[in-house]
Every structure is written in C-alpha cells, then in structure tokens.
Amino acid sequence: MPKIKTHRGAAKRFSVTGTGKIKRSRANTSHILTPKTTKRKRNLRKATILDKTNEKAIRKLIPYL
C-alpha cells in the first residue's frame, strides 16, 4: 500500500504535542487590531488544542506528524 501524502498547508498550521493532541494557533491576529484589547491580543498569541470535532479530519491531512 502506498504512503499517504501529507497536506503541506495543514502541516504548517498544526503540530502534535507529546501526548498526541493537535495544537493550533488562534485566528483574529493579523489585522484590525486597534479595537481589540491588549489582554485579548495577548491571549490570541497563545496556541490552543484543536477541538475534538475537527480532530479526525486534521489527522487524515497530517498522518505522519
């Protein structure tokens, strides 16, 4: 059986933690930053864990990470 190709766009956006969870970066950080509070912008810098509802689809895109 042939190997599965990794979706390179997904590989650049997601990473897998040591426990096997998928880590992602948050949205809303690139522009229109002036109305957002400093606290909100600071919290958006932190990575978060991917929700379980999307995990199956993303694991298919990044099989070897």
Side-chain angles (χ1 to χ4, degrees):
M1 193 172 202
K3 294 180 189 176
I4 305 166
K5 281 193 175 181
T6 299
H7 189 289
R8 297 312 297 161
K12 291 167 189 173
R13 288 169 171 82
F14 300 101
S15 61
V16 181
T17 63
T19 55
K21 294 175 184 172
I22 298 175
K23 195 166 66 169
R24 67 166 177 89
S25 57
R26 294 177 186 267
N28 305 313
T29 56
S30 54
H31 60 97
I32 318 174
L33 294 170
T34 37
K36 294 169 188 152
T37 64
T38 309
K39 181 182 178 181
R40 182 177 168 194
K41 288 186 279 191
R42 185 170 61 246
N43 287 327
L44 287 171
R45 285 200 291 262
K46 300 172 187 171
T48 186
I49 301 298
L50 189 72
D51 194 65
K52 278 207 185 292
T53 54
N54 300 320
E55 195 169 340
K56 190 178 175 184
I58 299 302
R59 283 206 187 272
K60 282 183 182 176
L61 297 175
I62 50 169
Y64 304 111
L65 291 185

Coordinates of all heavy atoms in Angstrom, one line a residue:
M1 N 0.8 -1.2 0.0 CA 0.0 0.0 0.0 C 0.9 1.2 0.0 O 1.8 1.3 0.8 CB -0.9 0.0 1.2 CG -2.0 1.0 1.2 SD -3.1 0.7 2.6 CE -4.6 1.4 2.0
P2 N 0.6 2.2 -0.8 CA 1.4 3.4 -0.9 C 1.3 4.3 0.4 O 0.3 4.2 1.1 CB 1.0 4.2 -2.1 CG -0.4 3.7 -2.3 CD -0.5 2.3 -1.8
K3 N 2.3 5.1 0.5 CA 2.3 6.1 1.6 C 1.2 7.2 1.3 O 1.0 7.4 0.2 CB 3.6 6.7 1.8 CG 4.7 5.8 2.3 CD 6.0 6.6 2.4 CE 7.2 5.7 2.6 NZ 8.4 6.4 2.7
I4 N 0.7 7.8 2.4 CA -0.2 8.9 2.2 C 0.6 10.2 2.2 O 1.5 10.4 3.0 CB -1.2 8.9 3.4 CG1 -1.9 7.6 3.5 CG2 -2.2 10.1 3.2 CD1 -2.7 7.4 4.8
K5 N 0.3 11.1 1.3 CA 1.0 12.4 1.2 C 0.4 13.3 2.3 O -0.8 13.3 2.6 CB 0.8 13.0 -0.1 CG 1.7 12.5 -1.2 CD 1.7 13.4 -2.4 CE 2.7 12.8 -3.4 NZ 2.7 13.7 -4.6
T6 N 1.3 14.0 3.0 CA 1.0 15.0 4.0 C 0.5 16.2 3.3 O 1.1 16.7 2.3 CB 2.2 15.3 4.9 OG1 2.6 14.1 5.5 CG2 1.8 16.4 5.9
H7 N -0.6 16.8 3.8 CA -1.1 18.1 3.3 C -0.2 19.2 3.8 O -0.2 19.4 5.0 CB -2.6 18.2 3.7 CG -3.3 19.4 3.1 ND1 -3.0 20.7 3.4 CD2 -4.3 19.5 2.2 CE1 -3.8 21.5 2.7 NE2 -4.5 20.8 2.0
R8 N 0.6 19.8 2.9 CA 1.6 20.7 3.4 C 1.0 21.9 4.1 O 1.6 22.5 5.0 CB 2.5 21.1 2.2 CG 3.3 19.9 1.6 CD 4.0 19.0 2.7 NE 5.0 19.8 3.4 CZ 5.5 19.3 4.6 NH1 5.1 18.2 5.1 NH2 6.4 20.0 5.2
G9 N -0.1 22.4 3.6 CA -0.7 23.6 4.2 C -1.1 23.3 5.6 O -1.0 24.1 6.5
A10 N -1.7 22.1 5.9 CA -2.1 21.7 7.2 C -0.9 21.5 8.1 O -0.9 21.8 9.3 CB -2.9 20.5 7.2
A11 N 0.2 20.9 7.5 CA 1.4 20.6 8.3 C 2.0 21.9 8.8 O 2.7 21.9 9.9 CB 2.4 19.9 7.4
K12 N 1.9 23.0 8.1 CA 2.4 24.3 8.5 C 1.6 24.9 9.6 O 2.0 25.8 10.3 CB 2.6 25.2 7.3 CG 3.6 24.8 6.4 CD 3.5 25.5 5.0 CE 4.5 24.9 4.0 NZ 4.3 25.5 2.7
R13 N 0.3 24.6 9.7 CA -0.6 25.2 10.6 C -0.8 24.4 11.9 O -1.2 25.0 12.9 CB -2.0 25.4 9.9 CG -2.0 26.5 8.9 CD -3.3 26.5 8.1 NE -3.4 27.6 7.2 CZ -2.8 27.8 6.0 NH1 -2.0 26.8 5.6 NH2 -2.9 28.8 5.3
F14 N -0.6 23.1 11.9 CA -0.9 22.3 13.0 C 0.4 21.5 13.5 O 1.2 21.2 12.6 CB -2.0 21.3 12.7 CG -3.3 21.9 12.3 CD1 -3.6 21.9 11.0 CD2 -4.1 22.4 13.3 CE1 -4.8 22.5 10.6 CE2 -5.3 22.9 12.9 CZ -5.7 23.0 11.6
S15 N 0.5 21.3 14.8 CA 1.6 20.4 15.2 C 1.0 19.5 16.3 O -0.1 19.8 16.9 CB 2.7 21.3 15.8 OG 2.3 22.0 16.9
V16 N 1.7 18.4 16.6 CA 1.2 17.4 17.5 C 2.0 17.5 18.8 O 3.3 17.6 18.7 CB 1.3 16.0 16.9 CG1 0.8 14.9 17.9 CG2 0.6 15.9 15.6
T17 N 1.3 17.5 19.9 CA 2.0 17.6 21.2 C 2.6 16.2 21.6 O 2.3 15.2 20.9 CB 1.0 18.0 22.3 OG1 0.0 17.1 22.4 CG2 0.4 19.4 22.0
G18 N 3.3 16.2 22.7 CA 3.9 14.9 23.1 C 2.9 13.9 23.5 O 3.1 12.7 23.4
T19 N 1.7 14.3 24.0 CA 0.6 13.4 24.4 C -0.3 13.0 23.2 O -1.2 12.3 23.4 CB -0.2 14.0 25.5 OG1 -0.7 15.3 25.1 CG2 0.6 14.2 26.8
G20 N 0.0 13.6 22.0 CA -0.8 13.2 20.8 C -1.9 14.1 20.5 O -2.6 13.9 19.5
K21 N -2.1 15.2 21.2 CA -3.1 16.2 20.9 C -2.6 17.1 19.8 O -1.4 17.3 19.6 CB -3.5 17.0 22.1 CG -4.1 16.2 23.2 CD -4.4 17.0 24.4 CE -4.9 16.2 25.6 NZ -5.0 16.9 26.8
I22 N -3.5 17.7 19.0 CA -3.2 18.6 17.9 C -3.2 20.0 18.4 O -4.3 20.5 18.9 CB -4.0 18.3 16.7 CG1 -3.9 16.9 16.2 CG2 -3.7 19.3 15.6 CD1 -4.8 16.5 15.1
K23 N -2.1 20.8 18.2 CA -2.0 22.1 18.6 C -2.3 23.0 17.4 O -1.8 22.7 16.3 CB -0.6 22.3 19.2 CG -0.4 23.6 20.0 CD 0.8 23.6 20.8 CE 2.1 23.6 19.9 NZ 3.3 23.8 20.7
R24 N -3.0 24.1 17.6 CA -3.2 25.1 16.6 C -3.0 26.5 17.1 O -3.1 26.8 18.3 CB -4.7 25.0 16.0 CG -5.7 25.4 17.1 CD -7.1 25.5 16.4 NE -8.1 25.9 17.4 CZ -8.4 27.1 17.8 NH1 -7.8 28.1 17.3 NH2 -9.3 27.3 18.7
S25 N -2.8 27.5 16.1 CA -2.7 28.9 16.5 C -4.1 29.5 16.4 O -5.0 29.0 15.7 CB -1.7 29.6 15.6 OG -2.1 29.4 14.3
R26 N -4.3 30.6 17.1 CA -5.6 31.2 17.1 C -5.8 32.2 15.9 O -4.8 32.7 15.3 CB -5.8 32.0 18.4 CG -5.9 31.1 19.6 CD -6.0 31.9 20.9 NE -5.9 31.1 22.0 CZ -6.9 30.6 22.7 NH1 -8.2 30.8 22.2 NH2 -6.8 29.9 23.7
A27 N -7.1 32.4 15.6 CA -7.4 33.3 14.5 C -7.5 34.8 15.0 O -7.4 35.0 16.3 CB -8.7 32.9 13.9
N28 N -7.8 35.7 14.2 CA -8.0 37.1 14.5 C -6.8 37.9 15.0 O -6.9 38.7 15.9 CB -9.2 37.3 15.5 CG -10.5 36.6 15.1 OD1 -10.9 36.8 14.0 ND2 -11.1 35.8 15.9
T29 N -5.6 37.5 14.5 CA -4.4 38.2 15.0 C -3.7 39.0 13.9 O -2.6 39.6 14.2 CB -3.4 37.1 15.5 OG1 -3.1 36.2 14.5 CG2 -3.9 36.4 16.7
S30 N -4.2 39.0 12.7 CA -3.4 39.6 11.6 C -3.7 41.1 11.3 O -2.8 41.9 11.0 CB -3.5 38.8 10.3 OG -4.9 38.7 10.0
H31 N -5.0 41.5 11.4 CA -5.3 42.9 11.1 C -6.5 43.4 11.9 O -7.1 42.6 12.6 CB -5.5 43.1 9.6 CG -6.6 42.3 9.0 ND1 -7.8 42.8 8.8 CD2 -6.6 41.0 8.6 CE1 -8.6 41.8 8.3 NE2 -7.9 40.7 8.2
I32 N -6.8 44.7 11.8 CA -7.9 45.3 12.6 C -7.6 45.1 14.1 O -8.5 44.6 14.8 CB -9.3 44.9 12.1 CG1 -9.4 44.8 10.6 CG2 -10.3 45.9 12.7 CD1 -10.7 44.2 10.1
L33 N -6.4 45.4 14.5 CA -6.0 45.1 15.9 C -6.4 46.2 16.9 O -6.4 46.0 18.1 CB -4.5 44.8 15.9 CG -4.1 43.5 15.2 CD1 -2.6 43.4 15.1 CD2 -4.7 42.3 15.9
T34 N -6.6 47.4 16.3 CA -6.8 48.6 17.3 C -8.1 48.4 18.1 O -8.0 48.8 19.3 CB -6.8 49.9 16.5 OG1 -7.5 49.7 15.2 CG2 -5.4 50.4 16.3
P35 N -9.2 47.9 17.7 CA -10.3 47.8 18.6 C -10.2 46.7 19.6 O -10.9 46.7 20.6 CB -11.5 47.6 17.7 CG -11.0 47.1 16.4 CD -9.6 47.7 16.3
K36 N -9.3 45.8 19.4 CA -9.1 44.7 20.3 C -8.3 45.1 21.5 O -7.3 45.8 21.4 CB -8.4 43.5 19.6 CG -9.3 42.9 18.5 CD -8.6 41.9 17.7 CE -9.5 41.5 16.5 NZ -8.7 41.2 15.3
T37 N -8.7 44.6 22.7 CA -8.0 45.0 23.9 C -6.6 44.3 24.0 O -6.4 43.3 23.3 CB -8.8 44.6 25.2 OG1 -8.9 43.2 25.2 CG2 -10.2 45.2 25.2
T38 N -5.7 44.9 24.7 CA -4.4 44.4 24.9 C -4.4 42.9 25.5 O -3.7 42.1 25.0 CB -3.5 45.3 25.8 OG1 -3.7 46.6 25.4 CG2 -2.1 44.9 25.8
K39 N -5.3 42.7 26.4 CA -5.5 41.4 27.0 C -5.9 40.4 26.0 O -5.4 39.2 26.0 CB -6.5 41.5 28.2 CG -6.7 40.2 28.9 CD -7.8 40.4 30.0 CE -8.1 39.1 30.7 NZ -9.1 39.3 31.7
R40 N -6.9 40.8 25.2 CA -7.4 39.8 24.1 C -6.2 39.5 23.1 O -6.1 38.3 22.8 CB -8.5 40.5 23.4 CG -9.2 39.6 22.4 CD -10.4 40.3 21.8 NE -10.8 39.6 20.6 CZ -11.7 40.1 19.7 NH1 -12.2 41.3 19.9 NH2 -12.0 39.4 18.6
K41 N -5.5 40.5 22.7 CA -4.4 40.3 21.8 C -3.3 39.4 22.4 O -2.7 38.5 21.7 CB -3.8 41.6 21.3 CG -4.7 42.4 20.3 CD -4.1 43.6 19.8 CE -4.1 44.7 20.8 NZ -3.7 46.0 20.1
R42 N -3.0 39.6 23.6 CA -2.0 38.8 24.3 C -2.5 37.3 24.4 O -1.7 36.4 24.2 CB -1.8 39.4 25.8 CG -0.7 38.7 26.5 CD -0.4 39.4 27.8 NE -1.5 39.6 28.7 CZ -2.1 40.7 29.0 NH1 -1.7 41.9 28.5 NH2 -3.1 40.7 29.9
N43 N -3.7 37.1 24.7 CA -4.3 35.7 24.8 C -4.3 35.1 23.4 O -4.2 33.8 23.3 CB -5.6 35.7 25.5 CG -5.5 35.9 27.0 OD1 -4.6 35.5 27.6 ND2 -6.5 36.6 27.5
L44 N -4.5 35.8 22.4 CA -4.5 35.3 21.0 C -3.2 34.8 20.5 O -3.1 34.0 19.6 CB -5.1 36.3 20.0 CG -6.6 36.6 20.1 CD1 -6.9 37.8 19.2 CD2 -7.4 35.5 19.6
R45 N -2.1 35.3 21.2 CA -0.8 34.8 20.8 C -0.5 33.4 21.3 O 0.3 32.7 20.7 CB 0.3 35.7 21.5 CG 0.4 37.1 20.8 CD 1.8 37.7 21.1 NE 1.9 38.1 22.5 CZ 1.7 39.4 23.0 NH1 1.3 40.3 22.1 NH2 1.8 39.7 24.3
K46 N -1.2 32.9 22.3 CA -1.0 31.6 22.8 C -1.7 30.5 21.9 O -2.8 30.7 21.4 CB -1.6 31.5 24.2 CG -1.0 32.4 25.2 CD -1.8 32.4 26.5 CE -1.3 33.5 27.5 NZ -2.2 33.6 28.6
A47 N -1.0 29.4 21.8 CA -1.6 28.3 21.0 C -2.6 27.6 21.8 O -2.6 27.7 23.1 CB -0.5 27.3 20.6
T48 N -3.5 26.8 21.2 CA -4.5 26.1 21.9 C -4.7 24.7 21.3 O -4.1 24.4 20.2 CB -5.9 26.9 21.9 OG1 -6.8 26.2 22.7 CG2 -6.4 27.0 20.5
I49 N -5.4 23.9 21.9 CA -5.6 22.5 21.5 C -6.8 22.5 20.5 O -7.8 23.1 20.7 CB -5.9 21.6 22.7 CG1 -4.7 21.6 23.6 CG2 -6.1 20.1 22.2 CD1 -3.3 21.1 23.1
L50 N -6.7 21.7 19.5 CA -7.7 21.6 18.5 C -9.0 20.9 19.1 O -8.8 19.9 19.9 CB -7.2 20.7 17.3 CG -8.1 20.7 16.1 CD1 -8.1 22.0 15.3 CD2 -7.6 19.6 15.1
D51 N -10.1 21.3 18.7 CA -11.4 20.7 19.2 C -11.5 19.3 18.7 O -11.1 19.0 17.6 CB -12.6 21.6 18.8 CG -13.8 21.2 19.5 OD1 -13.9 21.4 20.8 OD2 -14.8 20.7 18.9
K52 N -12.2 18.4 19.5 CA -12.4 17.0 19.1 C -13.2 16.8 17.8 O -13.0 15.9 17.1 CB -13.0 16.2 20.2 CG -12.1 15.8 21.3 CD -12.6 14.6 22.0 CE -11.8 14.2 23.2 NZ -10.5 13.7 22.9
T53 N -14.1 17.7 17.5 CA -14.9 17.6 16.4 C -14.1 17.7 15.1 O -14.5 17.1 14.0 CB -16.1 18.7 16.4 OG1 -15.5 20.0 16.5 CG2 -17.0 18.4 17.5
N54 N -13.0 18.5 15.1 CA -12.2 18.6 13.9 C -11.0 17.7 13.8 O -10.3 17.6 12.8 CB -11.7 20.1 13.8 CG -12.8 21.1 13.7 OD1 -13.8 20.8 13.1 ND2 -12.7 22.2 14.5
E55 N -10.7 17.0 14.9 CA -9.5 16.2 15.1 C -9.4 15.1 14.0 O -8.3 14.9 13.5 CB -9.4 15.7 16.5 CG -8.0 15.2 16.8 CD -7.8 14.8 18.3 OE1 -8.6 15.3 19.1 OE2 -6.9 14.1 18.6
K56 N -10.4 14.4 13.8 CA -10.4 13.3 12.8 C -10.0 13.8 11.4 O -9.2 13.1 10.7 CB -11.8 12.6 12.8 CG -11.8 11.3 12.0 CD -13.1 10.6 12.1 CE -13.2 9.4 11.2 NZ -14.5 8.8 11.2
A57 N -10.6 14.9 11.0 CA -10.3 15.4 9.6 C -8.8 15.9 9.5 O -8.2 15.6 8.5 CB -11.2 16.6 9.3
I58 N -8.3 16.5 10.6 CA -7.0 17.0 10.5 C -5.9 15.9 10.6 O -4.9 15.9 10.0 CB -6.7 18.1 11.7 CG1 -7.7 19.3 11.5 CG2 -5.3 18.6 11.7 CD1 -7.6 20.0 10.2
R59 N -6.2 14.9 11.3 CA -5.3 13.7 11.4 C -5.2 13.0 10.1 O -4.1 12.5 9.8 CB -5.8 12.7 12.5 CG -5.6 13.1 13.9 CD -5.4 12.0 14.8 NE -5.3 12.5 16.2 CZ -4.2 12.9 16.8 NH1 -3.1 12.7 16.1 NH2 -4.2 13.3 18.0
K60 N -6.2 13.0 9.2 CA -6.1 12.5 7.9 C -5.1 13.3 7.0 O -4.4 12.8 6.2 CB -7.4 12.5 7.2 CG -8.3 11.3 7.6 CD -9.6 11.3 6.9 CE -10.5 10.2 7.3 NZ -11.8 10.3 6.6
L61 N -5.1 14.7 7.3 CA -4.2 15.5 6.5 C -2.8 15.5 6.9 O -1.9 15.7 6.1 CB -4.7 17.0 6.6 CG -6.1 17.3 6.1 CD1 -6.5 18.7 6.4 CD2 -6.2 17.1 4.6
I62 N -2.6 15.2 8.2 CA -1.2 15.1 8.7 C -0.9 13.8 9.4 O -0.8 13.6 10.6 CB -0.9 16.3 9.7 CG1 -2.0 16.4 10.8 CG2 -0.7 17.6 9.0 CD1 -1.6 17.3 11.9
P63 N -0.8 12.7 8.6 CA -0.8 11.3 9.1 C 0.6 11.0 9.8 O 0.6 10.2 10.7 CB -0.9 10.4 7.9 CG -0.5 11.3 6.7 CD -0.9 12.7 7.1
Y64 N 1.7 11.7 9.5 CA 3.0 11.3 10.0 C 3.6 12.3 11.0 O 4.7 12.2 11.4 CB 4.0 11.1 8.8 CG 3.4 10.0 7.9 CD1 3.0 10.4 6.6 CD2 3.3 8.7 8.3 CE1 2.6 9.4 5.7 CE2 2.8 7.7 7.4 CZ 2.4 8.1 6.1 OH 1.9 7.2 5.3
L65 N 2.8 13.3 11.3 CA 3.3 14.3 12.3 C 3.1 13.8 13.7 O 2.2 13.0 14.0 CB 2.7 15.7 12.1 CG 3.1 16.4 10.8 CD1 2.5 17.8 10.9 CD2 4.6 16.5 10.7

